[in-house]
Each structure stands twice: as structure tokens, then as C-alpha cells.
Amino acid sequence: MASVKGPLFSLDASGTVGSAVVFSKWKGRNYVRRHAVPANPKSGVQVGTRAMMRFLAQAWTNLSAAEQLTWATPAAVTDISPFNAFVGYNMSRWSLFKYPVQSYPAAEANTAATLGTPVCTAQVRSVLTGATVTVLAQNWGMAIFRKIDSAPGETRAECVQVIPAESAAAFTWTDSNVTVGSDYYYDATPFSDDGVGGSELQLGNAIPTA
């Protein structure tokens, strides 16, 4: 960061010039720096990580008081909030490609749902995906996986969305992060409230239109 005097032959200046340099002021002093566009990485693993983070952030408010209380113990160990303990523990599990849990610690004793009636429909610049929960058991959510030109191998890097699925009903999700003309294949895997993954269901494939 360089300090400047009389920037752009004026007494003051701010803003971007030619998408190359930025003029601004900090603590009363003018300065100029190189223009940089913030990165927004979209690698497979990063997309899968964000999908699980969104799921966990939304799921916390729907946990019972008793379930939330179980996170007080691990939270106290590192002096963080129960919410942060919930997210941190489950993201650590996800980094090992294990499914999240509602209560601490993971029991992995319950049963994930059985999925049926796959949905995979091409739409304008998107694909509608989903499945029906035919046998609920102790299910909590559903992870959706995607790959171009062939069926997903069910890896964390292929996960594009994680949705709640706590009832025997039909669940759908619209994938808008697609390229027109590419052939997208989708799978879905249910998981129980204590971290057990169920059997995957091939949802099919579709080519989004212009």
C-alpha cells in the first residue's frame, strides 16, 4: 500500500481506475493499491463443505432443547458456544465423509430412510432433482451428489446440496449451478439423526436447456 499526495492531480480521490488500481483513504491519508477481486473458490470439496455448513446452520434451531444441551460438554472444553461445538464436530465428521449427528457424541445406531421415486428433470439453466422418503426410520437429511457424464461415485467432492428430510414425503432441490448442454447425473443418500448413511439412490441424468 503506497501513500500518495495529490492523487490524480486532485486534492482527493477514491474508487477504481481501469480495474487496475484503487484510490482510497485510511486514517485521513490517501493511498493507492492494486485492484483485487475477492476469490470465491468453487472446487468440488469447497462446494460440498459449504453445502454441509448451510445444512448445519439451519438445523441447529430445529434441535430440541435436550439435543442442544448435549453440545454443552464439548463446548466447555474449548470455551466455545454449543452451536459452534455442534458445527465444528459435525464438520470434522464431514471431512472424513461421515454424516452429521443431532446429539453429542455420535451413536451411529439408528437407521436412515429408504428412498424411492427419483426426480431428475431438465429445466431452463437448471435441473430439478429429488426423491421420495418411502420408509422414514430415524432419518434426518438427504445428501445430493452430482457428476458430469457419468454417475457420481458418492464422494464429498461430488456433494452439491444437503437438505433436511425428516418426514415420509417427497423432497426436491433445484440445481442452478449448471452449464447449458452438459449432461448431469445425480445420486441421493439419506442419513439418520445419529450419523448413519443409508443406501444411495440414482436420481438419473438431465441436460439443462438454454
Side-chain angles (χ1 to χ4, degrees), residues 3-209:
S3 297
V4 294
K5 293 182 179 180
L8 298 181
F9 303 104
S10 67
L11 296 177
D12 201 1
S14 63
T16 304
V17 178
S19 298
V21 295
V22 177
F23 288 86
S24 189
K25 182 179 290 186
W26 181 72
K27 291 187 177 182
R29 296 182 179 180
N30 293 101
Y31 73 89
V32 60
R33 62 174 173 80
R34 181 175 62 85
H35 179 259
V37 178
N40 184 27
K42 292 184 178 181
S43 72
V45 171
Q46 288 161 330
V47 171
T49 296
R50 292 175 181 177
M52 182 56 74
M53 283 286 291
R54 286 193 299 268
F55 173 81
L56 294 172
Q58 296 167 0
W60 173 257
T61 58
N62 294 323
L63 298 184
S64 68
E67 289 165 342
Q68 290 186 356
L69 186 60
T70 65
W71 297 99
T73 298
V77 174
T78 52
D79 194 26
I80 59 177
S81 70
F83 167 75
N84 286 333
F86 166 75
V87 172
Y89 180 82
N90 281 316
M91 289 307 296
S92 292
R93 285 180 58 84
W94 186 236
S95 70
L96 301 173
F97 199 40
K98 293 184 177 182
Y99 288 100
V101 299
Q102 293 181 346
S103 301
Y104 179 84
E108 298 186 352
N110 289 339
T111 304
T114 300
L115 302 181
T117 316
V119 175
C120 190
T121 306
Q123 300 185 136
V124 177
R125 297 182 179 85
S126 64
V127 177
L128 177 66
T129 68
T132 300
V133 172
T134 57
V135 179
L136 180 61
Q138 295 85 41
N139 203 61
W140 185 19
M142 182 190 307
I144 298 177
F145 301 84
R146 178 190 68 199
K147 188 176 181 181
I148 297 177
D149 294 333
S150 62
E154 294 277 324
T155 67
R156 184 165 62 98
E158 295 172 336
C159 181
V160 289
Q161 182 69 320
V162 183
I163 60 177
E166 298 182 271
S167 62
F171 298 91
T172 59
W173 172 68
T174 299
D175 185 5
S176 300
N177 186 25
V178 295
T179 300
V180 171
S182 293
D183 195 358
Y184 291 92
Y185 286 70
Y186 296 86
D187 284 358
T189 297
F191 56 90
S192 73
D193 54 10
D194 66 349
V196 176
S199 299
E200 67 180 83
L201 175 69
Q202 292 187 351
L203 304 181
N205 64 296
I207 302 175
T209 60

